[in-house]
Amino acid sequence: MPDLNTLFKRGTKYLLYLLSIYTIGWGFTPYAPVFAGLILGTSLSLFNFWLLQRKSTQFGEAIAKGERTRSLGSFSRLATGALAVVIVLRFPDDISLGSTVIGLMTMYVVIMIDFFVLNLVSKKREKR
C-alpha cells in the first residue's frame, strides 16, 4: 500500500489537472459563474486535502512517540467551507453556489476514484 505522501502527491496532481480544465472552461465558455464556483471550491478542496495530509502525518508521528493528539483538524476544514459560502454570497452574480459546493467535494471524489483504481491495479498484479 502506498504511503500517505505518495497518495497526497497523486491526489494533488489530479486536483491541479481538474483546476486547469476548470480554468479553460471559465475562460472559453459562457458558463463562467459555474466554472468560477468549481475553481473556488476545488481550490479550497485542495487546501483541505493539504490540511488533512499534514494533520494525519502529525497524528501518526504523535502516536509513534506515544503522545496524545488533539484532533485531525475537522474544524479547519469546516471553516474553509464556510469561507467559500461567504465568498459566494459576496459575489452571487459571478460565482455559482452549487458548483462551489461540488468543488468542495471534489477532493473526496478524487480520493475514492484513486482508491478504486489502486485496488484494480493491485488485483491485476496479484493475478500474474
Side-chain angles (χ1 to χ4, degrees):
M1 175 154 197
D3 67 336
L4 186 62
N5 289 329
T6 304
L7 293 173
F8 174 70
K9 286 178 185 177
R10 194 169 43 246
T12 302
K13 179 176 64 170
Y14 298 150
L15 286 173
L16 289 175
Y17 286 149
L18 280 173
L19 278 170
S20 63
I21 291 168
Y22 296 158
T23 303
I24 291 169
W26 174 75
F28 296 108
T29 66
Y31 305 107
V34 172
F35 283 105
L38 287 170
I39 290 168
L40 175 64
T42 305
S43 299
L44 291 175
S45 182
L46 180 59
F47 176 71
N48 283 341
F49 191 40
W50 173 76
L51 278 178
L52 181 64
Q53 185 266 347
R54 195 180 100 210
K55 290 289 189 175
S56 297
T57 302
Q58 290 174 352
F59 182 78
E61 290 171 357
I63 294 297
K65 292 178 184 175
E67 299 173 354
R68 294 191 61 179
T69 59
R70 290 187 0 213
S71 75
L72 290 178
S74 296
F75 181 75
S76 301
R77 291 193 304 274
L78 288 173
T80 58
L83 173 67
V85 170
V86 168
I87 292 171
V88 169
L89 292 177
R90 176 73 173 100
F91 303 103
D93 294 334
D94 299 323
I95 304 172
S96 168
L97 178 61
S99 60
T100 302
V101 172
I102 291 170
L104 282 170
M105 300 307 295
T106 303
M107 170 188 70
Y108 302 107
V109 173
V110 166
I111 289 172
M112 286 187 282
I113 291 172
D114 189 44
F115 173 76
F116 289 124
V117 168
L118 277 178
N119 276 345
L120 225 87
V121 169
S122 67
K123 286 182 183 180
K124 283 187 178 184
R125 285 185 185 158
E126 288 176 3
K127 287 183 180 180
R128 290 183 187 176

